[in-house]
Amino acid sequence: MQSVLNQLNSVPGVVGTMVCDPEGRLLAQAFPALFDAPMLHEAAKALSDATAGLKAAAGSVGMVDLRYRDARVVLKPLAGANMLFLCNSSLNLQSLAISSSVAVPKLERLVASRAAAPQGSVAGAARPSQLYETVQKINSAIARKKLEPSKTRGAIALKAGFALGCIDATTTDDPEKLSRLKAAASAVIGEPF
């Protein structure tokens, strides 16, 4: 799912993309480090509530484009999920509509396969792994300290032995990897994790 969201983020004007289930649980996201995990989980819950209200008031909705002075929020319902795009004001909605129409069937298959997964797997999707939460804390520290993201994340990856970009909310926790990640981040950034 992550690779599909990353492709959608390549549409000019798209800042970040996320998918959440109808209950407001974040399934996947591709946002810059500035947006931390708690903020995205809160947005997923709000998206779920707003989409349910919109369906009740207006019926079936294809795409909703909310325009603000400096940004746009585009909502796209999926079968069994909802997708949100945060965009800058220069977004070409037609380009996003074309790209999302290609991505929607893939995402719907991935969402359906999650729903069909054993109960333990679905419960793991509701709460992000500790590895993922640690990567989000690292990204926040990089932004807060105004460090160069790719160099800092690269240095941490070299020390930890794996790329931070490979970790998403559904990554299974591994105590050894978590320990290596925390040690590497502490060494590179200079604060405990």
Side-chain angles (χ1 to χ4, degrees), residues 87-139:
C87 310
N88 62 38
S89 58
S90 67
L91 171 77
N92 180 325
L93 190 61
Q94 289 76 19
S95 295
L96 181 59
I98 291 167
S99 295
S100 66
S101 70
V102 172
V104 163
K106 295 176 191 174
L107 289 169
E108 288 178 337
R109 280 193 302 275
L110 291 167
V111 168
S113 69
R114 272 182 190 243
Q119 192 62 23
S121 298
V122 173
R127 183 176 185 281
S129 67
Q130 288 182 316
L131 275 168
Y132 176 76
E133 288 178 347
T134 302
V135 169
Q136 295 308 304
K137 288 176 185 174
I138 290 167
N139 290 337

Side-chain angles (χ1 to χ4, degrees), residues 25-107:
R25 290 184 296 255
L26 185 63
L27 300 178
Q29 61 90 7
F31 271 84
L34 173 68
F35 300 89
D36 62 4
M39 180 188 305
L40 294 174
H41 286 283
E42 195 174 310
K45 182 66 178 148
L47 172 61
S48 171
D49 294 344
T51 305
L54 187 60
K55 283 181 184 174
S60 180
V61 175
M63 189 177 270
V64 177
D65 180 21
L66 304 171
R67 295 176 183 214
Y68 301 92
R69 184 177 55 184
D70 297 324
R72 292 168 84 167
V73 176
V74 179
L75 310 174
K76 175 80 175 143
L78 307 174
N82 297 300
M83 187 165 39
L84 177 139
F85 300 93
L86 177 63
C87 310
N88 62 38
S89 58
S90 67
L91 171 77
N92 180 325
L93 190 61
Q94 289 76 19
S95 295
L96 181 59
I98 291 167
S99 295
S100 66
S101 70
V102 172
V104 163
K106 295 176 191 174
L107 289 169

